[in-house]
C-alpha cells in the first residue's frame, strides 16, 4: 500500500507541474491584453500582423513550458530523445497521422451532427488569405513550422516525460493526449487531437525521438493551410477539387503507414503488451490522483469553459 500511495503522490505532482505550466500560459495571455496597445497596429493578413501573431504565440506558449522544463532539470536531449530513427519511421508516422486526420475529420462531422441535435454548433473559424507573398510566407512559418516544433517539445517532450516518470508510458500518453485536445478548446477536434497524441506519444516512446512526430505535425498543419488557401484563392469549386485530391493522397499515405506499422511489429508489440512501462497502480486511482491535483482540475474547468464559449446556438430555420 505504501508504494501505491507513493505512485499516487508522484502522479499528482506530475499533474501539478503540467497544470501549473498551462495555467502560466493562460495567465501570460491575459496579462498581455493591457500591453497590446504598445504593439504596432497592423491589419490582419499583412506581414506585420502575421509576425505579431508569431511573437505572441512564442511568448504565451513557448516561454512557460521552456521555463518549466528547465526547472524540472530536463535538457533539450531529454525532450527530443537521443535516438535518430531511420527514414522509414518518419514515413510511417506521417502516413499514420495523415490517414488518421481524414478519419478524424469524418468523426468530427458526426460530433457536429450530435451538437446540432441539441441546437448547438461550433463557431467556424474564418480563414483570411494573406495580402502579400511575404505575409503568406510568415503565415506558413507561424502555422506549419513553429507550432509543430514548440507543441511537440511541450506535449510529447516535457509533459510526456513528466507524466511518464510517475504513471508509466501508456497512462502518460493518454494524459498528454487529452491535455493536447483540451488546449484546442473544441469538441469536434477531439478525435484528431487525441488520436494524434496517441500516435505521436507512441512513436516518441517506441523510437526515442520527437523528430518523427514533429514532421507529422508539420504535415498535418501544412495540409490544413493548403486546403484553406485553395478555397480562399480559388473559390469553392477549385478548393473542393484540390482538397479532394489532398484527402485521397492522405488516405493512400495512411494505408502505407498502417502497412509499415504492422510490418515493423508495432501492432504485435502493443497487442502482446511488450511496449511501454505499465502504470504501477490501477487506472481509476491514477485518474483520481490527477483530478485531485488543484492545478490540473483548474485547467480542466477552464478548458470546459472556453470550449463551451466556442459553441453557439443554431439559427432558427
Amino acid at each position: 500500500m505504501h508504494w501505491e500511495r507513493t505512485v499516487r503522490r508522484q502522479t499528482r505532482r506530475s499533474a501539478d507541474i503540467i497544470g501549473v505550466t498551462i495555467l502560466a500560459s493562460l495567465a501570460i495571455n491575459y496579462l498581455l491584453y493591457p500591453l497590446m496597445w504598445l504593439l504596432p497596429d497592423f491589419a490582419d493578413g499583412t506581414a506585420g500582423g502575421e509576425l505579431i501573431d508569431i511573437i505572441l504565440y512564442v511568448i504565451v506558449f513557448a516561454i512557460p513550458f521552456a521555463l518549466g522544463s528547465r526547472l524540472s532539470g530536463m535538457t533539450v536531449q531529454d525532450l527530443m530523445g537521443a535516438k535518430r530513427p531511420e527514414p522509414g519511421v518518419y514515413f510511417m508516422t506521417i502516413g499514420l497521422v495523415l490517414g488518421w486526420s481524414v478519419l478524424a475529420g469524418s468523426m468530427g462531422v458526426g460530433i457536429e451532427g450530435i451538437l446540432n441535435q441539441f441546437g448547438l454548433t461550433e463557431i467556424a473559424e474564418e480563414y483570411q488569405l494573406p495580402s502579400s507573398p511575404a505575409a503568406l510566407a510568415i503565415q506558413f512559418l507561424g502555422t506549419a513550422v513553429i507550432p509543430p516544433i514548440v507543441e511537440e517539445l511541450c506535449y510529447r517532450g516535457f509533459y510526456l516525460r513528466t507524466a511518464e516518470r510517475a504513471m508509466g508510458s501508456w497512462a502518460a500518453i493518454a494524459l498528454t493526449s487529452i491535455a493536447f485536445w483540451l488546449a484546442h478548446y473544441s469538441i469536434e477536434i477531439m478525435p484528431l487531437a487525441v488520436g494524434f497524441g496517441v500516435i505521436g506519444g507512441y512513436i516518441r516512446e517506441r523510437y526515442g525521438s520527437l523528430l518523427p512526430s514533429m514532421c507529422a505535425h508539420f504535415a498535418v498543419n501544412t495540409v490544413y493551410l493548403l486546403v484553406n488557401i485553395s478555397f480562399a484563392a480559388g473559390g469553392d469549386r477549385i478548393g473542393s477539387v484540390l482538397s479532394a485530391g489532398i484527402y485521397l493522397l492522405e488516405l493512400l499515405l495512411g494505408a502505407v503507414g498502417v502497412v509499415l506499422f504492422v510490418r515493423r511489429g508495432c501492432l504485435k508489440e502493443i497487442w502482446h503488451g511488450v511496449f511501454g512501462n505499465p502504470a504501477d497502480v490501477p487506472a481509476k486511482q491514477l485518474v483520481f490522483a490527477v483530478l485531485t491535483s488543484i492545478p490540473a482540475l483548474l485547467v480542466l474547468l477552464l478548458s470546459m469553459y472556453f470550449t463551451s464559449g466556442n459553441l453557439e446556438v443554431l439559427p432558427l430555420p
Side-chain angles (χ1 to χ4, degrees):
M1 293 298 294
H2 175 72
W3 64 269
E4 288 188 359
R5 288 195 296 270
T6 300
V7 171
R8 286 197 298 269
R9 185 168 58 251
Q10 291 174 342
T11 298
R12 190 176 297 111
R13 182 176 180 274
S14 297
D16 286 343
I17 293 172
I18 295 172
V20 166
T21 307
I22 296 174
L23 290 174
S25 294
L26 294 173
I28 291 173
N29 189 26
Y30 280 100
L31 288 173
L32 283 176
Y33 276 109
L35 303 177
M36 291 294 287
W37 63 273
L38 294 174
L39 299 174
D41 187 16
F42 293 108
D44 292 339
T46 62
E50 298 291 341
L51 187 58
I52 290 295
D53 287 342
I54 293 178
I55 294 173
L56 292 176
Y57 173 85
V58 171
I59 293 174
V60 169
F61 196 91
I63 291 179
F65 106 80
L67 291 175
S69 59
R70 186 171 183 82
L71 291 173
S72 296
M74 294 187 191
T75 65
V76 175
Q77 187 174 17
D78 291 329
L79 301 177
M80 290 292 300
K83 297 181 180 179
R84 291 296 176 265
E86 59 182 287
V89 175
Y90 291 83
F91 194 75
M92 177 183 71
T93 308
I94 292 171
L96 288 173
V97 170
L98 289 178
W100 176 252
S101 69
V102 177
L103 298 178
S106 300
M107 295 179 191
V109 172
I111 293 174
E112 182 181 14
I114 294 174
L115 291 175
N116 292 347
Q117 293 299 313
F118 291 92
L120 299 171
T121 187
E122 286 199 340
I123 300 174
E125 295 183 1
E126 293 186 8
Y127 172 77
Q128 183 174 1
L129 188 68
S131 59
S132 66
L136 181 60
I138 296 174
Q139 185 184 78
F140 178 78
L141 183 68
T143 301
V145 178
I146 294 178
I149 295 173
V150 173
E151 293 176 18
E152 290 307 306
L153 280 169
C154 181
Y155 286 92
R156 258 65 66 183
F158 175 44
Y159 291 168
L160 184 60
R161 293 284 293 161
T162 297
E164 179 194 25
R165 291 175 176 178
M167 304 173 64
S169 299
W170 280 119
I173 290 171
L175 176 64
T176 53
S177 298
I178 293 172
F180 186 60
W181 161 51
L182 293 176
H184 288 82
Y185 308 131
S186 167
I187 300 175
E188 294 178 17
I189 205 175
M190 177 181 67
L192 175 61
V194 173
F196 181 88
V198 171
I199 294 171
Y202 169 78
I203 295 298
R204 167 65 177 83
E205 294 293 276
R206 172 66 176 79
Y207 291 99
S209 174
L210 265 187
L211 292 175
S213 62
M214 281 184 178
C215 292
H217 202 149
F218 167 81
V220 169
N221 286 17
T222 299
V223 167
Y224 165 80
L225 193 59
L226 288 176
V227 169
N228 278 290
I229 290 173
S230 67
F231 277 99
D236 289 344
R237 183 177 180 180
I238 294 178
S240 297
V241 172
L242 289 177
S243 62
I246 290 173
Y247 292 152
L248 288 174
L249 179 60
E250 285 182 297
L251 285 174
L252 176 61
L253 291 175
V256 174
V258 170
V259 171
L260 291 175
F261 189 78
V262 174
R263 290 187 63 180
R264 286 177 171 273
C266 297
L267 183 61
K268 184 177 181 181
E269 184 181 58
I270 294 172
W271 181 263
H272 291 287
V274 178
F275 163 76
N277 300 313
D280 291 329
V281 298
K284 288 183 179 180
Q285 295 189 36
L286 291 177
V287 172
F288 178 78
V290 171
L291 293 180
T292 51
S293 162
I294 300 301
L297 188 58
L298 285 174
V299 168
L300 178 61
L301 293 175
L302 286 171
S303 299
M304 293 172 62
Y305 172 76
F306 292 135
T307 301
S308 64
N310 199 33
L311 296 174
E312 61 181 357
V313 179
L314 285 171
L316 295 174

